Amino acid sequence: MNYPLHIIVRKKLSASFNAILSLLYKKKDYEQFIDPKEVKTILIIRPNYRIGNLLFLTPLINELEKNMPQAKIDIIVGMRLAGKILEPLPNVDKVIDIPRKLLLHPLELLNYIKQTRAKKYDVALNISGGSTSTQIVTALVKAHYKASFYSDKLWADFTHVQERGTLSHKHMGLESLEFLRFFNIPIPSYATLDIKNTPQELIQAKNELHTLLKQNHYSEKTQTIALFRNARFDKKIEDSWWSQWVEQLLELNDNLVIIDILSPDIPTPLNDKVLSYGTKELRLLGAFFKTTTLYVSADTGPMHLAVASGAKVLALFNKTDAQVYGALGKGNTTIDVEKLSLEDVVHITQECLHS
């Protein structure tokens, strides 16, 4: 994937900063394992601004609940709106967000430092290894144990470090499960993303879909596709392609309604052949995806939200590796649209609708 210049520069500066600090940091002998019986509070450190990367924490969070039900989890994230997706999980106590451009706002920075040091945890898990922001947070927080997987850029005060193991899968959404090894907990043979939508969220989403169909004179039995058109950088598929896809699908299936999901980056519907829906409540949005017959998009955060909500998903990939970032979960489909014609994709969409 091709990144903009400012992101490339930021990554290089961050790598240089870490390299310098890691040279200054005195190496020590690390421990490897933590007794789960000692642990009642866990801090997961993932100050990231992307929805998908935060949803990738859910397999770990859910396995910790199964194996360490006594442990309550706080999570440090970089996006409050996305953090609200995780807060209702049964074993999550609090989500703390790091505002963007924190260094430009000294008073907010001091308040954040005070907030992060207000509580001492039994364990802090550094999810991102050698990341600059994660290590700064790790150095700030109070924790009896601080754990990370090895990186030659480590410099924070970790007590437990392991080499990354060789998982049987490549998907980034399951990578967080490796942290179970610090507690000697076996990695499950099957896992997926799961935000555990509540019955109330599902009922509200079903009512909103019913209202949308009724207002536009469609039957409740109508098949529905939730379409999200946005994606980062060159993963995005052009609107002209989506327009042709919509037109061909509607010609083949007169019992189909396509619902264009609006967002700040997509404020208006694709055309007059689609309905539209939008909400700022991300858990409700995920529940809405689940109530439709099929969710379709490129590789993007809402695609992983659909997976984590139990929707049936068709993911259309072009630049990114489907094995690493595709739609997890049984019954979901990921295809490379660069190797397929538009007609092929329409045919696959039809198959997904009826499977």
Side-chain angles (χ1 to χ4, degrees):
M1 188 171 70
N2 296 321
Y3 289 104
L5 180 61
H6 72 277
I7 291 183
I8 295 172
V9 171
R10 188 186 70 202
K11 286 178 178 287
K12 288 185 177 181
L13 287 173
S14 177
S16 300
F17 178 80
N18 276 336
I20 293 169
L21 285 181
S22 63
L23 289 173
L24 297 174
Y25 182 66
K26 185 178 179 181
K27 300 294 189 291
K28 62 181 180 181
D29 293 329
Y30 296 111
E31 297 180 59
Q32 285 192 311
F33 301 111
I34 301 165
D35 184 353
K37 295 177 183 176
E38 295 182 29
V39 179
K40 290 186 173 58
T41 55
I42 298 172
L43 177 67
I44 294 177
I45 302 170
R46 190 67 167 102
N48 190 271
Y49 297 91
R50 294 171 63 180
I51 294 172
N53 287 335
L54 298 183
L55 290 167
F56 290 170
L57 296 175
T58 59
L60 172 63
I61 293 169
N62 292 331
E63 285 300 316
L64 288 174
E65 182 196 11
K66 289 180 191 175
N67 292 277
M68 299 166 62
Q70 81 284 0
K72 284 294 182 181
I73 298 172
D74 286 357
I75 310 168
I76 291 180
V77 302
M79 181 183 181
R80 183 60 184 162
L81 186 62
K84 287 183 177 180
I85 302 174
L86 303 177
E87 209 160 34
L89 291 173
N91 53 336
V92 172
D93 192 28
K94 183 170 59 173
V95 174
I96 303 164
D97 67 300
I98 300 178
R100 281 182 179 270
K101 300 180 180 179
L102 193 61
L103 292 175
L104 300 178
H105 304 280
L107 291 178
E108 286 188 32
L109 176 60
L110 289 172
N111 183 58
Y112 170 74
I113 292 172
K114 182 179 179 181
Q115 186 181 8
T116 54
R117 293 181 61 80
K119 180 177 178 180
K120 184 170 183 179
Y121 297 91
D122 295 321
V123 181
L125 300 178
N126 167 35
I127 299 295
S128 304
S131 157
T132 304
S133 57
T134 341
Q135 292 200 81
I136 290 172
V137 175
T138 302
L140 283 174
V141 300
K142 296 178 182 178
H144 187 63
Y145 301 125
K146 296 182 179 182
S148 173
F149 282 104
Y150 176 77
S151 164
D152 59 1
K153 302 295 189 294
L154 290 185
W155 52 263
D157 53 338
F158 296 106
T159 59
H160 290 69
V161 173
Q162 293 188 37
E163 293 283 351
R164 284 201 180 275
T166 303
L167 296 177
S168 59
H169 53 74
K170 297 180 180 179
H171 201 287
M172 286 297 294
L174 301 178
E175 190 179 48
S176 68
L177 289 171
E178 278 214 74
F179 279 84
L180 297 174
R181 289 170 39 213
F182 283 101
F183 306 101
N184 267 325
I185 296 172
I187 295 174
S189 57
Y190 173 79
T192 188
L193 314 181
D194 187 0
I195 61 170
K196 299 184 181 296
N197 278 111
T198 66
Q200 292 78 12
E201 288 167 342
L202 294 170
I203 289 169
Q204 184 178 350
K206 186 175 180 179
N207 289 339
E208 295 202 5
L209 176 60
H210 171 71
T211 300
L212 180 63
L213 293 174
K214 187 176 180 181
Q215 286 174 344
N216 289 275
H217 312 295
Y218 289 105
S219 165
E220 279 190 81
K221 296 180 181 180
T222 302
Q223 287 189 311
T224 52
I225 292 179
L227 164 64
F228 185 72
R229 289 180 283 128
N230 201 23
R232 283 165 57 90
F233 312 132
D234 53 355
K235 294 186 294 183
K236 186 174 181 179
I237 298 171
E238 295 299 323
D239 282 353
S240 57
W241 189 97
W242 285 120
S243 293
Q244 294 179 61
W245 175 81
V246 166
E247 187 173 339
Q248 289 192 27
L249 274 173
L250 295 178
E251 285 178 0
L252 291 171
N253 189 345
D254 57 7
N255 187 41
L256 177 65
V257 171
I258 298 173
I259 304 167
D260 199 6
I261 304 300
L262 304 184
S263 70
D265 295 321
I266 309 177
T268 57
L270 177 65
N271 53 41
D272 59 4
K273 296 182 179 181
V274 300
L275 304 185
S276 61
Y277 174 80
T279 176
K280 293 181 180 180
E281 298 178 41
L282 293 178
R283 289 182 63 90
L284 176 60
L285 184 61
F288 186 86
F289 295 156
K290 181 178 173 60
T291 62
T292 61
T293 314
L294 181 67
Y295 169 92
V296 181
S297 77
D299 174 15
T300 183
M303 182 270 287
H304 297 297
L305 176 61
V307 169
S309 301
K312 183 189 285 187
V313 173
L314 172 59
L316 311 185
F317 274 49
N318 46 19
K319 304 300 179 186
T320 40
D321 188 338
Q323 283 191 303
V324 179
Y325 295 104
L328 277 170
K330 296 173 181 176
N332 294 329
T333 304
T334 304
I335 58 175
D336 184 346
V337 293
E338 292 198 326
K339 296 179 179 179
L340 297 167
S341 68
L342 177 65
E343 290 72 20
D344 290 333
V345 178
V346 169
H347 177 70
I348 292 168
T349 308
Q350 283 280 79
E351 288 182 338
C352 290
L353 279 168
H354 295 98
S355 63

